[in-house]
Amino acid sequence: MFNYLVRRILSGGVVLGIVSAIVFGIFYILPADPARLSCGKTCSEELILKIRHTLELDQTLPVQYGRYVKGIFVGRTYLKGSPAELKCSAPCLGYSFQTNQPVTQLLKDRLPATASIAFGASILWLLIGLSSGIISALRRGTWVDKLSQGVALGAASLQIYFVGLVLQFIFVNKLAWLPTPGYSSPLHYPLDWAKQMALPWITLAFLLSAIYSRLTRAGMIEIMGEDYVRTARAKGLGNRTIQFKHVLRGAITPIVTVFGLDLGGLLGGAVITEYVFNIPGLGKLSTDAVSNLDLPVITGTVIFSAFFIIVANILVDLLYAALDPKVRIQ
Amino acid sequence: MSKFLEVNNLSISFPTEDGVVKAVDNMSFSLEKGKTLGIVGESGSGKSVTSLAILGLHKGSTAEVSGEILIDGQDINAMAENDVRLLRGKVMSMIFQDALAALHPYYTVGNQIAEAYLVHNKVSKSEAKKRAIEMLDRVGIPEPQKRVDDYPHQFSGGMRQRAMIAMALSCNPSLLIADEPTTALDVTVQAQIIDLLRDLQKEFNTAIILITHDLGVVSETADDILLMYAGKAIEYGTVRDVLQKPQHPYGWGLLTSIPRLTGDPEKSLAAIPGTPPSLISVPSGCAFHPRCSYVKQVGTACSSSIPDLLPVSAGAHHLVRCHLDTAAREEIFRSQVAPKL
Amino acid sequence: MNSILKVEGLTKHFPGNKHSLFGKRDVVQAVDGISFEVAKGEAIGLVGESGCGKSTTGRLTTRLLEPTAGTIQFDGNDITHLSNAQMRPIRADLQIIFQDPYASLNPRHTVGTIVASPFRIGGVEPEGGTKKRVQELLEIVGLNPEHYNRYPHEFSGGQRQRIGIARALALRPKLIVADEPVSALDVSIQAQVINLLKDLQKQFDIAFIFIAHDLAVVRHFAQRVAVMYLGNIVEIADRDTLYSNPKHPYTKALLSAVPEVDPDAVGSRERIRLTGDVPNPINPPSGCRFRTRCWKAQDICASSAPALLQIGTSQVACHFPE
Ligand SMILES: Nc1ncnc2c1ncn2[C@@H]1O[C@H](COP(=O)(O)OP(=O)(O)O)[C@@H](O)[C@H]1O
Ligand SMILES: Nc1ncnc2c1ncn2[C@@H]1O[C@H](COP(=O)(O)OP(=O)(O)O)[C@@H](O)[C@H]1O
Ligand code: SF4
Ligand code: SF4
Ligand SMILES: [Mg+2]
Ligand SMILES: [Mg+2]
């Protein structure tokens, strides 16, 4: 198991290296000139050259990439020797000259908002999705099942834009039960934090719990047909023990897998949600960076979300092993 | 005195999109404690469906079950699910063909045996685990204290079936239904499992219903045999009667078609022509008539009326469902079947 | 012996799992140094419990698998390491039938296409045309020639096995490897297929390697029988000798484990009950591989592997044969 873990982490590192190299390569061949962009409209060629030097854009691709990787591990210094020297300590993911901040700092500032959305929503959608899926599976064919699966089917086909804007219109603009979504620190203003996050949570959870509900229902129904569930009945176990100890336990593994990957994906930036509700998270950071063509930030956010997805993959595999003795003991 | 298990006129059907599957049609049989009944038939003849009904496991499904299933006088078919549940595992229990699929892959073998014991006994978890170890030891698992914490996939095929038996017998039930318990196993392991079942039966005086398609296995274990074809009992009697003096043309076909370790290997096997029918459109009259070589001797009755399950001769306990009259049957058996056995 | 197939020291080791990052990979010793011969037109049976290497042997001899070691001579030619292209002309003479009649037939092809596939692959145009020949073949295996345009799912298990047999027969092979051809079938159908194969064997003088785990089935088909245990052949003898006078302890135990249909014979035979299970082919016992379950094992059985030696008319691999 330990060997397996080491292997997974090493290969995760390799994947991350490849992703970053690709992102780097793409931006290198992109026609947009970051130096010109960060300089503004009225800019002399001389200045552009200087900026290009500052950003180290006058180096070859391998050199740029090498320095970038080195920056991640040991940090780097821009404009070395000049009075405007900029220290970017490890892990340095580049420097945004448009905002005059190290990318790492930007990511750090934006992560809490994204994490708030992701964790809050995921708890909500797990609760709703699992419980409605379980109830549907147990009451298969009854009106409860038909209703919940009907809602789930409808919800799964909706878009965050639509649901988000409708909910915002109702609860913020019309009823005024909730403040405009945004982000406050949960440490200092927990109540504001929760109120402002409520809409993003509900929107995401509404859509995702539909998927989880259907997944849970289908999984449980499949497991109910397994031989070992028949064995459980033949032993004289009660219905509740059969459904929760035997059926749910058998059905949970794929749900956990999907959950891990969804959560990992969201942590890299709940892009649409943040955009719709204008929340200063990683997703918003990257959309803004894209519209400003702030290449260091785009690179940073892509690598950062790749990092989350890879970590989530490794964790899911570990969880898989924890859940399935056949994987654990071989 | 009534027998421990009595099944009267049991019929089971499944409504499906393609039509009604008449899986079991008007079956009756009985069994005493300490005895073994072998139910024999080809795949799809309704053996498993019958055995599930005895445990009341069709309750809550689409199956329509009619008739009586009396265990110690109580009718399982008339009882509510919750009352039958209390009998499962305690009065009657079951083991299955595919032990790997029948054990939960995510719980240890010990946990699953202890669970079976805990449902019906007010004991602590550690006592239940002790019982699991004791049962594993009893069914011949080496180092049971260690193996009790193994998962099913860590056991070999034979050990898994032993673990299933340990689980089924943990509450000392009076009836054990073994649905093809050795079909998936190799012969040497099959022999071990058969021996084990026999020993346990002697020790606990369990009634056993052994379902199989292997005539050798019933011959070595059963007292009575019930032969099924297309959902119906077509022959019923003691092992000796049915295997040595079979009376139904299908039974003749089966007994002369199986390869054996004795006799002339160069003689070709007396195969039964055709294939078993679909249970959605069972042939009219005697379901075996499209494959039977004796229809000519009987005439149109074979395809027009369903024969009853009747004693082969007045007062006999050997029953057969065939229109051939006793004299004709005995003549055919003597001249055509016996020489091939 | 005028042999069609001669196998010597045939070995197949499969790569198994790896347990640590830099550790060695396990080696599954599925078949380990077996030697046997099949005469022209002879039916030889290969029996043993599941996992003993029967299917692997069948796939090696038909070159569906690459041997790890040993040689295979077919009809006088060494085919041990022939490439797929080099094997193509030989395939006409060397066919295989599988256990699962459904999995081995392409569900999207008609019966006609399936049975004709050897003609297509071999680039052969049979006399009188492919369709006519295919219909003849269907008739030979007891199927209705008019079922030419039907699909495999429209047939029962026994009929599907007949389709597989018709395909194997198409090019009039000299040797057919039949890997558990009747194991998936019900008893009444099993007899039909055994009879059919036996008739074909006699009629066309085809040599057979008939693989099965059921000793009684093999007895009705093969003139000579080889018994395998954990990747080795432990005994080869003609049928009558093997069944009436087994010399290897394992053969004896295997025979005594077969349940007896006749209630009067139950208990009259000697009962040998092996304990435990077949060991793992990744780490087989030293010396004689059967020693962990053998009631006659002595020290020498653990230290030296018995060779397959001639004893009377049998070949036996045991230090203390019966
Ligand atoms: N739940 C079900 N729905 C519809 N048909 C069923 C169901 N269970 C079993 N059957 C049918 O009942 C027949 C008898 O099945 P079974 O008792 O499993 O046969 P076997 O004798 O092989 O154990 C088969 O034709 C099978 O397809
Ligand atoms: N492709 C494979 N990779 C690894 N092991 C294999 C493979 N095929 C077969 N084996 C192993 O080789 C042994 C012999 O298998 P097989 O020839 O299929 O046995 P049999 O047909 O006698 O049941 C078994 O232990 C099996 O698990
Ligand atoms: S009733 Fe007729 S068809 Fe049926 S078994 Fe008897 S003789 Fe054959
Ligand atoms: S060599 Fe030894 S262990 Fe092997 S079969 Fe013979 S007596 Fe038994
Ligand atoms: Mg069955
Ligand atoms: Mg095989």
Side-chain angles (χ1 to χ4, degrees):
Chain A
M1 201 63 238
F2 176 74
N3 279 309
Y4 173 74
L5 187 59
V6 170
R7 233 176 336 169
R8 281 306 311 262
I9 291 176
L10 286 181
S11 67
V14 171
V15 172
L16 206 52
I18 294 172
V19 169
S20 57
I22 291 174
V23 173
F24 230 82
I26 290 174
F27 290 150
Y28 188 81
I29 54 174
L30 223 56
D33 183 349
R36 196 176 294 273
L37 283 166
S38 66
C39 181
K41 276 186 189 117
T42 55
C43 202
S44 68
E45 285 302 312
E46 196 185 339
L47 195 57
I48 288 174
L49 276 180
K50 217 177 115 196
I51 293 173
R52 192 166 287 155
H53 181 69
T54 316
L55 290 172
E56 301 182 358
L57 292 171
D58 47 0
Q59 305 287 338
T60 60
L61 176 67
V63 171
Q64 285 190 41
Y65 182 64
R67 288 189 185 164
Y68 188 79
V69 173
K70 191 172 153 223
I72 294 176
F73 289 102
V74 297
R76 67 197 282 197
T77 311
Y78 292 94
L79 300 172
K80 210 174 212 154
S82 91
E85 188 179 274
L86 283 173
K87 267 210 161 27
C88 177
S89 52
C92 174
L93 289 165
Y95 194 89
S96 162
F97 287 88
Q98 290 191 20
T99 56
N100 259 324
Q101 287 196 65
V103 174
T104 310
Q105 188 57 45
L106 285 170
L107 294 173
K108 243 189 235 161
D109 292 345
R110 301 299 190 93
L111 182 60
T114 296
S116 298
I117 297 178
F119 284 110
S122 65
I123 290 171
L124 212 56
W125 89 58
L126 261 192
L127 279 177
I128 301 171
L130 277 179
S131 51
S132 72
I134 291 172
I135 291 169
S136 271
L138 295 184
R139 304 250 177 285
R140 180 153 49 129
T142 64
W143 67 268
V144 183
D145 176 28
K146 285 179 186 141
L147 181 71
S148 90
Q149 292 313 302
V151 171
L153 193 67
S157 59
L158 293 176
Q159 297 295 323
I160 296 181
Y161 299 105
F162 177 72
V163 178
L165 293 176
V166 168
L167 290 180
Q168 182 156 350
F169 180 75
I170 297 173
F171 291 102
V172 180
N173 303 4
K174 281 283 152 199
L175 299 173
W177 289 357
L178 290 169
T180 308
Y183 177 73
S184 319
S185 161
L187 296 176
H188 301 118
Y189 314 100
L191 204 62
D192 289 342
W193 171 77
K195 278 187 184 161
Q196 288 181 310
M197 280 290 154
L199 272 187
W201 286 343
I202 292 170
T203 309
L204 262 179
F206 181 64
L207 298 180
L208 277 160
S209 55
I211 296 169
Y212 280 73
S213 174
R214 295 203 294 161
L215 197 65
T216 308
R217 179 181 183 272
M220 295 247 324
I221 287 173
E222 187 193 324
I223 300 294
M224 282 176 196
E226 290 284 343
D227 282 9
Y228 58 78
V229 173
R230 187 182 55 190
T231 308
R233 283 189 76 201
K235 285 200 260 193
L237 298 183
N239 227 343
R240 196 163 308 164
T241 316
I242 295 174
Q243 298 305 349
F244 287 90
K245 185 173 168 188
H246 292 258
V247 178
L248 191 57
R249 178 66 183 81
I252 203 79
T253 318
I255 300 173
V256 165
T257 308
V258 176
F259 177 69
L261 299 180
D262 277 349
L263 189 60
L266 269 187
L267 280 175
V271 180
I272 302 172
T273 314
E274 289 171 21
Y275 182 79
V276 169
F277 293 110
N278 201 14
I279 288 172
L282 292 169
K284 191 81 181 24
L285 180 66
S286 61
T287 43
D288 290 350
V290 167
S291 52
N292 298 333
L293 274 173
D294 191 347
L295 292 190
V297 175
I298 300 177
T299 314
T301 49
V302 170
I303 292 173
F304 201 52
S305 40
F307 170 76
F308 273 118
I309 290 170
I310 288 165
V311 169
N313 262 296
I314 294 175
L315 287 181
V316 160
D317 280 356
L318 286 182
L319 214 54
Y320 218 101
L323 285 173
D324 187 345
K326 244 181 294 181
V327 179
R328 190 175 351 133
I329 312 158
Q330 57 127 313
Chain B
M1 202 197 85
S2 72
K3 301 259 181 86
F4 168 67
L5 170 72
E6 253 185 79
V7 173
N8 297 320
N9 309 317
L10 177 66
S11 293
I12 303 164
S13 54
F14 299 93
T16 68
E17 283 170 15
D18 303 326
V20 176
V21 177
K22 281 188 168 177
V24 174
D25 192 13
N26 203 13
M27 286 253 288
S28 301
F29 55 87
S30 62
L31 183 61
E32 281 171 80
K33 279 196 185 158
K35 296 284 184 198
T36 301
L37 169 70
I39 300 185
V40 180
E42 291 178 276
S43 52
S45 57
K47 307 182 296 293
S48 300
V49 167
T50 305
S51 58
L52 293 174
I54 297 173
L55 261 78
L57 288 176
H58 292 305
K59 289 178 195 292
S61 83
T62 55
E64 285 158 16
V65 183
S66 66
E68 281 182 331
I69 299 165
L70 302 173
I71 292 191
D72 252 346
Q74 300 185 80
D75 185 357
I76 299 293
N77 199 23
M79 278 163 86
E81 159 71 12
N82 223 18
D83 300 324
V84 181
R85 177 173 86 72
L86 299 176
L87 302 181
R88 290 186 199 128
K90 191 176 172 198
V91 173
M92 62 229 182
S93 62
M94 186 158 177
I95 60 177
F96 303 95
Q97 168 176 344
D98 185 354
L100 182 59
L103 289 165
H104 201 302
Y106 298 160
Y107 294 108
T108 63
V109 168
N111 180 324
Q112 299 184 55
I113 299 174
E115 186 183 38
Y117 190 61
L118 273 170
V119 224
H120 300 295
N121 296 276
K122 284 203 165 53
V123 293
S124 70
K125 282 208 163 137
S126 65
E127 275 171 281
K129 183 166 180 186
K130 233 187 266 157
R131 174 73 179 168
I133 295 171
E134 189 184 303
M135 286 308 298
L136 285 176
D137 189 36
R138 181 63 198 82
V139 297
I141 302 283
E143 299 183 272
Q145 300 91 329
K146 242 171 74 188
R147 303 310 297 262
V148 72
D149 293 323
D150 277 0
Y151 289 90
H153 76 273
Q154 295 171 281
F155 273 30
S156 70
M159 282 163 62
R160 281 195 284 264
Q161 198 54 284
R162 286 172 193 270
M164 277 300 292
I165 294 172
M167 188 161 85
L169 296 185
S170 62
C171 299
N172 247 327
S174 313
L175 171 67
L176 174 69
I177 301 177
D179 188 355
E180 312 237 13
T182 61
T183 305
L185 304 175
D186 280 313
V187 273
T188 60
V189 180
Q190 163 169 290
Q192 295 169 4
I193 297 291
I194 289 176
D195 285 356
L196 174 67
L197 282 175
R198 246 194 319 229
D199 290 351
L200 290 168
Q201 178 172 43
K202 258 193 217 128
E203 190 175 327
F204 299 107
N205 200 31
T206 323
I208 295 182
I209 294 180
L210 184 90
I211 292 170
T212 177
H213 61 262
D214 187 329
L215 292 169
V217 171
V218 260
S219 164
E220 297 219 340
T221 49
D223 301 288
D224 291 341
I225 294 186
L226 183 80
L227 193 55
M228 288 186 77
Y229 188 81
K232 285 194 183 62
I234 55 159
E235 189 161 352
Y236 182 30
T238 63
V239 165
R240 235 164 253 285
D241 281 343
V242 178
L243 292 184
Q244 292 182 333
K245 285 182 285 196
Q247 294 295 312
H248 194 280
Y250 176 66
W252 295 338
L254 268 192
L255 276 154
T256 51
S257 69
I258 39 169
R260 303 185 188 219
L261 287 182
T262 50
D264 180 4
E266 281 303 321
K267 258 201 340 219
S268 68
L269 301 163
I272 306 173
T275 49
S278 140
L279 292 185
I280 290 180
S281 55
V282 181
S284 62
C286 170
F288 187 59
H289 85 258
R291 304 176 75 189
C292 183
S293 338
Y294 305 100
V295 177
K296 273 194 252 90
Q297 302 203 13
V298 175
T300 53
C302 290
S303 53
S304 61
S305 86
I306 301 177
D308 290 325
L309 188 67
L310 298 170
V312 296
S313 53
H317 287 294
H318 185 181
L319 310 179
V320 66
R321 190 189 288 280
C322 174
H323 286 307
L324 281 169
D325 61 52
T326 313
R329 229 175 15 232
E330 276 176 1
E331 172 55 25
I332 295 169
F333 177 75
R334 199 183 47 73
S335 62
Q336 298 175 30
V337 182
K340 289 196 210 149
L341 286 180
Chain C
M1 181 154 82
N2 189 2
S3 66
I4 183 78
L5 182 79
K6 187 167 182 199
V7 162
E8 257 170 288
L10 191 60
T11 299
K12 180 69 191 180
H13 289 178
F14 290 107
N17 289 321
K18 221 166 144 173
H19 292 289
S20 69
L21 199 49
F22 303 105
K24 268 207 311 225
R25 202 172 268 287
D26 282 340
V27 174
V28 183
Q29 305 183 18
V31 170
D32 208 47
I34 63 169
S35 305
F36 63 93
E37 260 180 84
V38 185
K40 287 198 166 131
E42 180 192 35
I44 185 169
L46 200 55
V47 291
E49 293 174 285
S50 57
C52 70
K54 304 182 296 294
S55 297
T56 305
T57 304
R59 292 168 157 271
L60 285 170
T61 51
T62 46
R63 285 302 321 283
L64 296 174
L65 281 174
E66 183 69 23
T68 309
T71 59
I72 307 164
Q73 281 197 19
F74 179 73
D75 211 7
N77 306 314
D78 186 338
I79 61 163
T80 319
H81 297 294
L82 293 191
S83 67
N84 267 339
Q86 290 168 314
M87 272 306 288
R88 195 159 301 142
I90 295 173
R91 293 239 178 266
D93 290 334
L94 181 55
Q95 290 285 325
I96 187 163
I97 301 170
F98 296 100
Q99 165 173 2
D100 184 343
Y102 202 59
S104 60
L105 304 177
N106 187 334
R108 281 185 298 276
H109 287 175
T110 63
V111 170
T113 315
I114 290 170
V115 176
S117 66
F119 298 128
R120 259 199 330 279
I121 295 167
V124 191
E125 175 67 24
E127 250 176 81
T130 309
K131 179 164 181 182
K132 181 160 166 283
R133 180 76 188 116
V134 167
Q135 291 189 328
E136 270 169 36
L137 284 164
L138 290 177
E139 192 137 28
I140 288 172
V141 299
L143 291 172
N144 186 341
E146 279 154 29
H147 291 169
Y148 187 86
N149 282 321
R150 299 220 182 152
Y151 289 88
H153 73 261
E154 300 175 52
F155 294 87
S156 67
Q159 289 174 315
R160 285 178 204 144
Q161 196 54 289
R162 287 173 194 267
I163 299 171
I165 294 169
R167 175 176 57 184
L169 279 180
L171 297 175
R172 283 283 162 81
K174 294 178 179 156
L175 174 68
I176 293 181
V177 175
D179 189 357
E180 311 247 12
V182 297
S183 303
L185 306 177
D186 268 316
V187 241
S188 71
I189 310 299
Q190 179 174 312
Q192 297 171 2
V193 176
I194 294 175
N195 287 345
L196 170 67
L197 286 173
K198 208 166 164 176
D199 289 347
L200 296 172
Q201 192 235 335
K202 290 205 175 122
Q203 190 183 341
F204 300 114
D205 202 28
I206 305 168
F208 264 84
I209 298 180
F210 188 96
I211 298 174
H213 62 268
D214 186 328
L215 286 129
V217 166
V218 170
R219 180 170 172 273
H220 276 265
F221 192 81
Q223 289 124 34
R224 226 150 46 89
V225 179
V227 180
M228 285 189 78
Y229 186 79
L230 208 52
N232 292 156
I233 289 183
V234 296
E235 181 164 1
I236 305 180
D238 64 82
R239 173 178 57 206
D240 295 341
T241 313
L242 191 112
Y243 284 89
S244 60
N245 190 8
K247 297 207 166 49
H248 195 282
Y250 178 63
T251 312
K252 229 179 136 176
L254 206 54
L255 279 168
S256 101
V258 177
E260 182 60 63
V261 180
D262 183 356
D264 281 334
V266 174
S268 69
R269 274 189 306 153
E270 187 184 1
R271 274 164 49 95
I272 301 167
R273 287 294 180 261
L274 294 182
T275 51
D277 296 295
V278 182
N280 194 327
I282 290 170
N283 190 13
S286 66
C288 172
R289 290 187 169 183
F290 184 55
R291 70 176 166 83
T292 51
R293 300 171 81 197
C294 183
W295 65 99
K296 293 171 83 181
Q298 306 282 324
D299 291 346
I300 185 178
C301 302
S303 57
S304 106
L308 190 69
L309 299 175
Q310 194 78 32
I311 299 176
T313 55
S314 311
Q315 287 175 285
V316 187
C318 173
H319 293 303
F320 307 101
E322 299 285 311

